[in-house]
Amino acid sequence: MAKKNLENTQYAYVKSHGCNANLYDSHRMMDLLEHHGYTLVDEYTKANLILVNTCNIREKAAEKVYSAIGRYAKHKAEKQKKGESVIIVVAGCVGQAEGEMMRERAPVVDIVLGSQTYHQLPEMLERLRRKDPDAYRVNTQFPLEPKFDFLPKVKARQIGSTSMAIQEGCDKFCTFCCVPYTRGPEYSRPFDVLVQEAKELSQQGIKEISLEGQNVSDYRGKSSCGRKTYSLAQLCREIANIEGIARIRYSSSHPRDITQELADTHRDCAKVMPAFHLPVQSGSNAVLQKMNRQHTRERYLEIFDMFKSAVPHIKFSSDFIVGFPGETEQDFEDTLDLVRKVEFTRSYSFAYSQRPGTPAAVEALQVPEDLKKERLWRLQELLDHYEKTFNESLVGQVVPVLFTRKGRREGQIVGRSCYLQSVYTEASTELFGTIQKVELVSAGVHGMGGKILR
Ligand code: SAM
Ligand code: SF4
Ligand code: F3S
């Protein structure tokens, strides 16, 4: 890829919202901007290109973007007073969902990019700079060629642990979800390309890779000759052969795609972490059907048993939505009952949010906001109970922890256990990117205290 020199716009600030797939995209946009001569800065006030990569999953997430744009607009106005220019780019799922509408609502935004077109950003910036009469400001196509084919070499932008997008988009169309519309149809990145990318990340000190996508359990990557198709289980096994990689995770999966082969991979490969994130959304078959989830609570429990038989110490985490249209008290009780059966050790739970353009948003039987809030509170109380009980059961054990960041307190560093618990300890930042033996000494709901053993 030829390197261009984009004058006057050389300091770029990139802010990422949303899921790990978005974070991966943000890192790749940073790769792209650096490749085209930009220097990355960590505060928007130092930048003359501000790029915000957005999330549209719930109303609150989407609205956040407009308050951020308000802040960036002030900075832009101040710079303009001094005769300097600032370009504001909105990328990602809100950009994709709103397109032209976003520039109408926030004309201060210079460029709107969808989730599949960010590789075209340098060209759009160049045209804008040249005041090209054909410069286009909104780019939300789903191009035939995947964006990944147009990106420079990957650069590890986190210490020790990173995400790697293996799959994009979704064909499942759950009735509450905007993702099939914001990320487009399912696409799996080629197998050999991913294995090579994992090797490059490992050479840059990455020990833990999280394989990301909206439906990774439906991964069907082609070989370079195009004749063979590989599954997620096969990809995990291949990445496990890379010497420097010590841990493999993947997210998100869908109960419809889960196979015995995947459970066996957890059993056979110690590098595939014993923590399985499998969103269930609801424990009620009636709600699951209205959500178009295409699985039942019985199938979910079967998968739970299958993975437990393969790896007895495996732990489950999940995503839940409460207050889906038409959800009755009994439906909600069924969700609580499922939580009691599986004893999830980590979870993300949300009140249902109406997303424009999705079928559930126009359902007549919307659950009142205060009832949604009350159910969410009851569900979270139960989820917290199981998370805390599990954390407490580990106190006294010695576990490997991968340290990656500073804690809030002076001298404190934080890492992750195999089960993704945050483990806090007092130690030098020189341990960043290393896996240490840690004795767990205390337990909270969402984290644990530890002591490094020498
Ligand atoms: N592909 C994953 C799956 O099949 O469950 C979900 C990915 S989605 C990006 C992450 C989570 O956001 C979902 O699991 C769901 O719990 C939540 N979510 C999606 N749409 C939502 C909505 N309209 N309101 C509330 N939460 C929602
Ligand atoms: Fe959304 Fe359902 Fe697709 Fe997950 S499987 S991304 S919840 S539509
Ligand atoms: Fe949000 Fe888009 Fe991810 S809507 S959760 S950033 S796929």
Side-chain angles (χ1 to χ4, degrees), residues 57 170-174 176-180 214-215 254 281 293:
I57 204 79
C170 178
D171 298 335
K172 294 200 169 67
F173 292 92
C174 300
F176 54 82
C177 184
C178 64
V179 170
Q214 284 73 36
N215 275 287
H254 192 290
Q281 314 301 354
R293 288 290 290 177

Side-chain angles (χ1 to χ4, degrees), residues 18-19 22 54-57 93 178-179 183 214:
C19 60
N22 241 26
T54 59
C55 174
N56 192 50
I57 204 79
C93 293
C178 64
V179 170
R183 311 288 297 203
Q214 284 73 36

Side-chain angles (χ1 to χ4, degrees), residues 96 114-119 141-143 147 168-169 182-184:
Q96 187 72 49
S115 48
Q116 304 304 340
T117 47
Y118 62 73
H119 57 292
Q141 312 281 317
F142 288 124
K147 63 195 176 195
E168 269 291 330
T182 60
R183 311 288 297 203

